[in-house]
């Protein structure tokens, strides 16, 4: 689960040139390296406007099968977007769309 308390985006999220919104991502993956297979679940938040308006708390739940005998990787990321004429377009830069493995649950 990814839980983010209510926050002010203009104060707590680094601003990226051209970005008008961000989206938070939570991914969970159980990887069977021996059989080269995996189970994955990805959830993302609604778009959050990069403004001074207080944003409600965000809670994302990602789930895979229980009791898998493989390592489980938990990944969290942030995607920056630009709204143009009512459509969201991702900011295409690797330096401003961070993603990291935040936990590995080994069996």
């Amino acid at each position: 689960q990814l839980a983010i308390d209510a926050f002010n985006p203009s104060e707590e999220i680094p601003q990226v040139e051209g970005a008008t919104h961000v989206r938070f991502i939570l991914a969970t993956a159980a990887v069977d390296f021996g059989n080269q297979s995996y189970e994955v679940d990805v959830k993302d938040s609604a778009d959050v406007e990069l403004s001074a308006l207080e944003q409600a708390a965000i809670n994302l739940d990602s789930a895979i099968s229980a009791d898998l005998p493989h390592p489980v990787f938990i990944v969290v990321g942030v995607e920056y977007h630009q709204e143009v004429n009512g459509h969201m377009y991702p900011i295409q830069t690797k330096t401003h769309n961070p993603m990291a493995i935040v936990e590995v649950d080994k069996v």
Side-chain angles (χ1 to χ4, degrees):
Q1 180 182 51
L2 174 64
I4 302 171
D5 293 334
F7 64 100
N8 180 326
S10 67
E11 293 177 3
E12 299 181 50
I13 297 177
Q15 303 297 302
V16 171
E17 184 177 343
T20 60
H21 294 75
V22 294
R23 185 179 301 160
F24 297 95
I25 301 165
L26 173 65
T28 306
V31 181
D32 180 348
F33 291 101
N35 291 315
Q36 297 182 350
S37 63
Y38 58 89
E39 179 181 343
V40 81
D41 185 38
V42 178
K43 301 292 190 239
D44 57 351
S45 71
D47 294 311
V48 175
E49 187 175 356
L50 292 171
S51 69
L53 298 175
E54 184 80 9
Q55 295 293 314
I58 295 172
N59 291 295
L60 298 176
D61 291 311
S62 179
I64 55 174
S65 301
D67 301 324
L68 291 172
H70 313 295
V72 176
F73 298 85
I74 312 297
V75 178
V76 174
V78 177
E79 284 184 337
Y80 285 87
H81 291 88
Q82 181 179 56
E83 183 176 15
V84 178
N85 297 325
H87 297 283
M88 292 295 176
Y89 297 94
I91 301 291
Q92 298 292 333
T93 173
K94 292 178 184 176
T95 59
H96 291 96
N97 288 316
M99 184 167 274
I101 296 172
V102 296
E103 186 174 344
V104 177
D105 185 8
K106 299 178 190 174
V107 179

